[in-house]
Amino acid sequence: MFATSLTSTDLLFLLQGAWTTILLTLGAMLLGSLGGLLCGLLRASFANATLPLAWLLDVFRSVPLLIQFVLFNSLKSIAGLDWSAFAVACGVLGVYAGAYCTEIVRGGLLAVPASVRRAGRSLGMSYWQELRHIALPMATRVAFPGWLNLCLGVMKDTALVMWIGIVELLRASQTIVTRIQEPLLVLCIAGLIYYLISLVVARLGNQLEKRWQEND
């Protein structure tokens, strides 16, 4: 007969950790998407002039995320910044996501045929009008699958914030495992919650892509 020490309070604790994971993902993707859009536009429009920016973004893509968390958290203390651990986590994850989102946006814009963009300009559109009405809508459809995969990756990367003291889903599950000593059950439940969150995000993304196809 199956018996467990897992209680409803433990399940609620896991759900609270999952909610923290969702909030971290939303905050990081908001920062990363805005920063990535701006940097991606600059990289696509002024490739040579923005080489220093490209090198800086390569640093954030190359250095392991855990090291970035530890370094930024230490620099925050040295600089005397009164930032919460949640703000630090969103900031680091946001910059990390923005570094990848930049290349996603740049790739999407470069995938728009130059002839199409020139046609827009020949119709009398300004650079910004052509960008808004032609280039960005076409680039968005190309870049969206990559952005969606980035979103799912950032959601899983939030597990690393436990190293700076945030109780997200994985940290919550480890806390419960320490108390009841049932790692298989608790980690299976945590994995199921991660899967359900990813499933919802993926389904929403698929629905959006289908609407785009229906409007073509």
Side-chain angles (χ1 to χ4, degrees):
M1 184 177 178
F2 177 75
T4 179
S5 300
L6 190 71
T7 65
S8 58
T9 302
D10 294 328
L11 292 175
L12 181 60
F13 188 54
L14 283 174
L15 292 177
Q16 289 172 341
W19 179 242
T20 300
T21 292
I22 292 172
L23 290 179
L24 284 168
T25 304
L26 290 174
M29 287 308 299
L30 177 61
L31 292 174
S33 298
L34 292 176
L37 176 60
L38 176 61
C39 294
L41 286 172
L42 291 174
R43 290 286 298 126
S45 302
F46 313 102
N48 292 330
T50 56
L51 279 177
L53 174 62
W55 295 332
L56 178 62
L57 294 176
D58 279 341
V59 172
F60 289 108
R61 284 194 297 269
S62 303
V63 176
L65 190 53
L66 178 57
I67 295 177
Q68 295 185 43
F69 277 125
V70 174
L71 289 178
F72 195 87
N73 198 48
S74 299
L75 290 174
K76 178 205 73 169
S77 301
I78 294 172
L81 298 176
D82 188 22
W83 290 8
S84 66
F86 187 90
V88 171
C90 278
V92 173
L93 280 170
V95 172
Y96 182 76
Y100 281 97
C101 193
T102 295
E103 290 304 304
I104 293 173
V105 172
R106 187 179 73 90
L109 286 170
L110 294 180
V112 179
S115 59
V116 174
R117 303 194 66 173
R118 285 196 298 268
R121 298 298 297 275
S122 67
L123 293 174
M125 289 184 176
S126 68
Y127 171 81
W128 294 109
Q129 287 175 327
E130 178 272 324
L131 186 67
R132 176 184 175 187
H133 296 290
I134 297 178
L136 279 179
M138 295 180 68
T140 299
R141 299 191 184 196
V142 174
F144 183 75
W147 180 88
L148 189 63
N149 286 331
L150 175 63
C151 184
L152 294 175
V154 169
M155 186 268 293
K156 289 181 287 186
D157 287 336
T158 58
L160 295 173
V161 303
M162 67 179 181
W163 292 99
I164 58 174
I166 297 179
V167 182
E168 41 63 66
L169 180 54
L170 184 60
R171 179 65 177 269
S173 65
Q174 290 180 334
T175 301
I176 295 172
V177 167
T178 301
R179 186 178 62 81
I180 68 175
Q181 296 299 309
E182 295 180 27
L184 184 61
L185 174 62
V186 176
L187 292 178
C188 281
I189 294 174
L192 178 61
I193 295 174
Y194 275 118
Y195 170 74
L196 291 175
I197 296 173
S198 299
L199 183 63
V200 170
V201 173
R203 288 293 176 86
L204 290 175
N206 289 336
Q207 289 296 322
L208 184 56
E209 286 191 289
K210 286 181 180 179
R211 289 187 181 182
W212 281 339
Q213 293 173 358
E214 291 171 357
N215 292 332
D216 285 340

